[in-house]
């Protein structure tokens, strides 16, 4: 997917899903109990790592699907960095299913689950004017802890191993095989620290 179209498409999708989830889940789960009045968290991850240990910017929407389970939609925009005289930039879009082990309240405490997404790593080399792109479907598990800071604010820390399946690499020049796409094609670790606001 073209990088200049990735961010607005992902943002529009998040907003649409968030509005639908908020209206549906609020009606179903807002039972007046303390700590159970939220159906949706909007998140910003100023620190996000994966699949390589590089800083990226990410945003997410987490909404309740059961009393102690949630679904989180993730969008990640990797900051470009230089490696072996070429530039690398990574985008990710996917989802996480989370189960909170307290058994009665979503959004708070330890959780575990699964994650799946679509990742695109773009490689450009300015001197020879060549570029490449790697597509994959990362699948893995996730564990983490979400801290309740105030009634509305949370802090989310998660990590999890993932494996890129169905990987495919394309390049504009068949002889340009020096791009190190193998780092995005095998086992990697996604992790992030996010600030969340509940609705």
């Amino acid at each position: 997917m073209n990088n200049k179209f990735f961010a607005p498409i992902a943002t529009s999708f998040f907003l649409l899903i968030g509005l639908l989830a908020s209206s549906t889940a609020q009606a179903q789960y807002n039972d007046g109990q303390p700590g159970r009045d939220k159906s949706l968290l909007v998140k910003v991850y100023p620190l996000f790592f994966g699949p390589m240990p590089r800083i990226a910017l990410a945003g997410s929407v987490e909404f309740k699907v059961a009393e102690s389970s949630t679904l989180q939609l993730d969008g990640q925009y990797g900051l470009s960095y230089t490696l072996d005289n070429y530039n690398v930039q990574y985008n990710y879009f996917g989802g996480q299913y989370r189960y909170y082990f307290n058994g009665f309240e979503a959004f708070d405490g330890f959780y575990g689950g699964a994650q799946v997404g679509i990742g695109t790593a773009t490689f450009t080399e300015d001197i020879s004017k060549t570029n490449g792109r790697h597509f994959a479907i990362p699948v893995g598990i996730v564990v983490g802890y979400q801290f309740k800071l105030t009634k509305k604010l949370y802090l989310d820390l998660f990590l999890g191993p993932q494996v890129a399946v169905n990987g495919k690499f394309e390049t504009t020049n068949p002889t340009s095989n020096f791009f190190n796409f193998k780092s995005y094609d095998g086992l990697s670790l996604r992790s992030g620290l996010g600030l969340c606001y509940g609705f």
Side-chain angles (χ1 to χ4, degrees), residues 3 11 21 31 33 40 42-44 58-59 61-62 65 70 81 89 97 101 132 143 155 169 175 181 186 195:
N3 290 342
T11 302
D31 58 4
Q33 298 296 320
L40 176 71
V42 177
K43 307 182 177 187
V44 176
V61 174
E62 181 181 10
V65 294
T70 65
Y81 68 96
Q89 198 267 330
Y97 168 79
F101 294 117
V143 293
L155 195 64
F169 182 71
T175 63
F181 68 90
L195 183 64

Side-chain angles (χ1 to χ4, degrees), residues 119-138:
T120 304
T122 303
F123 306 83
T124 57
E125 206 282 318
D126 295 331
I127 297 176
S128 61
K129 305 297 182 184
T130 59
N131 59 68
R133 184 169 293 177
H134 181 266
F135 301 89
I137 301 174

Side-chain angles (χ1 to χ4, degrees), residues 7 20 30 40 43 111 119 136 186 189:
L20 292 174
N30 189 359
L40 176 71
K43 307 182 177 187
Y111 60 84
L189 184 70

Side-chain angles (χ1 to χ4, degrees), residues 10-82:
T11 302
S12 300
F13 185 77
F14 282 146
L15 290 175
L16 177 61
I17 293 297
L19 290 173
L20 292 174
S22 179
S23 59
T24 302
Q26 188 71 31
Q28 186 173 0
Y29 293 104
N30 189 359
D31 58 4
Q33 298 296 320
R36 300 186 185 183
D37 59 341
K38 295 174 186 62
S39 59
L40 176 71
L41 292 186
V42 177
K43 307 182 177 187
V44 176
Y45 290 90
L47 292 177
F48 200 95
F49 301 89
M52 293 295 290
R54 306 287 178 179
I55 294 178
L57 302 176
S60 301
V61 174
E62 181 181 10
F63 55 93
K64 189 182 291 187
V65 294
E67 188 66 19
S68 56
S69 301
T70 65
L71 181 64
Q72 176 166 305
L73 301 178
D74 299 312
Q76 174 186 340
Y77 180 80
L79 302 180
S80 181
Y81 68 96
T82 302

